[in-house]
Amino acid sequence: MLPLLETIADEVVARPLPRIQQTRDDGSVESLGFADALVAKKNADAPRQIFFCIHLDTVYPPDCDFQHVEAFRQDGRDCLRGPGVADAKGGLAVLLGTLEAIHHASKSDSIWQKVGWRVVLNPDEEIGTPASTPLLQEVGRECDFGLLYEPALPDGTLIGARKGSGNFTIVVRGRSAHAGREIAAGRNAVAALCDALLQIAKLQTADESVTVNLGRVAGGTALNVVPDLAVGRFNVRIQHAAAMAGVREAIAQIVGDINDRDGYSAHLEGDFSSPPKPVDAGLEVLQERLTDAGNSLAVPIRFRPSGGVCDGNKLAAVGVPNIDTMGPIGGKIHSDQEYVVCESLVQRSQLGFQMLSDFARHPERFPSRSDRIRK
């Protein structure tokens, strides 16, 4: 991967990422470090710039059983099954294929002289991009628009609008006591946490524009000891940015109510790390241009909204329009049945190159960084 990127970029550098603090289930705090991100540039002084991005991490730990890649056929198509083959090793292959096509085209076609690109390959997307978000946004601001290489859906559909997402942790401390002799002297941290989590779950709306997932609870020791510590983690997704402040305030109030109880203390960690990504004017233009490219290749292009989030949310948050599912067709991601459709690796590289060829010839048809700055 790195040798190929170095042959087509003017510059490839490793960017160290900051460490982050995270609360363990036992209430202690650990410091997490990350591998470096990679940043590549080509024609950095060109007037028009494209931002490319995909993550290097997967959800599969080194010691999991799902470590092999196998070929199979599904619905008449050749596929590969393996950890991260779609999300996002396949996306990385599509990105490199598109960049290589641009590299070879630029040797004989002068239209590429006024186009540059920047690439960020980050190592922490699967845990919410806690360390590399500032880097993504820094590089993204320098570009006119972005293409991110998350996998398309199994039928080839791409994602348009996305919900926003926040991960939260509540740490509750009470008072231990013997559950038989002195239960009244104890302050049950697990019970207090459960009370709070049940109230937070009620923040979910009937139309699911706000959803709450209570993800994990830890606390307690022996069953005859009143637990003095409990840690709960949950995720909130929101469809509209205007809802963030109200949901955040409601959660803080619920946690604050624990502190009003005798013998208890609680604090809240986390926030909304990915605001919603609506289909705004800039994204509409990109969708139209990609549809044009698809039509020229006889590749149907469709978009649908999703409750999932990705680094495209982070880029949209600083005003950079982007299509974030330019990767291959695949499915069953994050499971031991994850697969990628082999022919889509080439098809999606061609699709990206076709769209960007249009950009090189007719940049006025695409979103512009200068328009964003004037606004």
Side-chain angles (χ1 to χ4, degrees), residues 25-290:
D25 287 348
D26 64 2
S28 64
V29 176
E30 64 179 338
S31 177
L32 295 180
F34 299 89
D36 294 342
L38 294 179
V39 179
K41 296 181 180 181
K42 180 73 173 182
N43 294 342
D45 296 328
R48 303 301 297 270
Q49 295 287 329
I50 311 158
F51 178 80
F52 297 102
C53 180
I54 190 56
H55 58 92
L56 299 173
D57 57 328
T58 73
V59 298
Y60 305 96
D63 58 351
C64 78
D65 294 333
F66 188 44
Q67 293 292 336
H68 61 284
V69 176
E70 62 179 349
F72 69 102
R73 286 185 65 80
Q74 177 174 280
D75 300 326
R77 302 182 297 183
D78 291 327
C79 300
L80 289 176
R81 181 184 293 114
V85 291
D87 185 19
K89 296 173 185 176
L92 180 61
V94 173
L95 167 58
L96 291 175
T98 301
L99 293 179
E100 194 169 20
I102 293 173
H103 176 69
H104 288 295
S106 65
K107 294 179 181 180
S108 57
D109 196 333
S110 61
I111 63 170
W112 295 102
Q113 294 177 0
K114 294 184 179 181
V115 175
W117 49 256
R118 295 157 196 245
V119 173
V120 174
L121 306 178
N122 58 320
D124 60 338
E125 191 271 347
E126 293 293 6
I127 60 170
T129 322
S132 64
T133 292
L135 174 62
L136 293 178
Q137 294 178 334
E138 170 197 329
V139 178
R141 287 188 183 98
E142 300 169 347
C143 301
D144 295 293
F145 60 89
L147 300 178
L148 290 82
Y149 286 78
E150 295 289 343
L153 298 176
D155 66 353
T157 299
L158 290 83
I159 300 300
R162 289 184 180 271
K163 282 185 175 180
S165 176
N167 292 325
F168 298 83
T169 298
I170 303 175
V171 180
V172 180
R173 297 186 184 275
R175 183 188 305 146
S176 61
H178 193 288
R181 293 185 177 186
E182 296 183 300
I183 191 169
R187 297 294 183 268
N188 193 311
V190 170
L193 173 63
C194 289
D195 287 344
L197 291 177
L198 289 173
Q199 292 181 63
I200 289 169
K202 293 178 181 178
L203 298 176
Q204 180 160 316
T205 58
D207 63 358
E208 296 190 352
S209 60
V210 176
T211 60
V212 178
N213 181 55
L214 306 180
R216 192 164 88 234
V217 174
T221 53
L223 298 185
N224 62 349
V225 176
V226 176
D228 63 354
L229 173 68
V231 178
R233 307 178 196 275
F234 59 96
N235 173 263
V236 181
R237 309 234 166 181
I238 52 171
Q239 186 172 345
H240 306 291
M244 279 196 295
V247 171
R248 187 188 294 116
E249 182 180 348
I251 294 170
Q253 181 61 55
I254 291 168
V255 176
D257 289 343
I258 299 175
N259 287 306
D260 293 336
R261 302 184 188 183
D262 174 63
Y264 289 94
S265 66
H267 73 271
L268 177 68
E269 300 172 359
D271 203 344
F272 288 102
S273 58
S274 295
K277 179 189 173 186
V279 179
D280 57 14
L283 180 51
E284 282 186 345
V285 170
L286 288 180
Q287 290 179 342
E288 290 171 2
R289 299 288 80 79
L290 187 64

Side-chain angles (χ1 to χ4, degrees), residues 288-368:
E288 290 171 2
R289 299 288 80 79
L290 187 64
T291 300
D292 292 342
N295 289 338
S296 68
L297 296 173
V299 176
I301 300 298
R302 300 176 298 273
F303 292 90
R304 54 158 283 188
S306 173
V309 302
C310 74
D311 286 333
N313 293 69
K314 273 87 172 174
L315 202 59
V318 292
V320 183
N322 65 90
I323 296 177
D324 56 35
T325 40
M326 293 291 294
I329 297 171
K332 298 184 179 179
I333 62 174
H334 295 193
S335 80
D336 63 1
Q337 296 297 309
E338 179 171 343
Y339 71 90
V340 64
V341 178
C342 296
E343 66 182 4
S344 71
L345 295 167
V346 175
Q347 180 200 78
R348 295 295 155 136
S349 296
Q350 293 171 332
L351 182 64
F353 176 74
Q354 184 72 22
M355 176 185 179
L356 296 176
S357 297
D358 183 24
F359 173 60
R361 291 185 173 86
H362 305 287
E364 73 280 358
R365 288 161 49 88
F366 286 75
S368 167

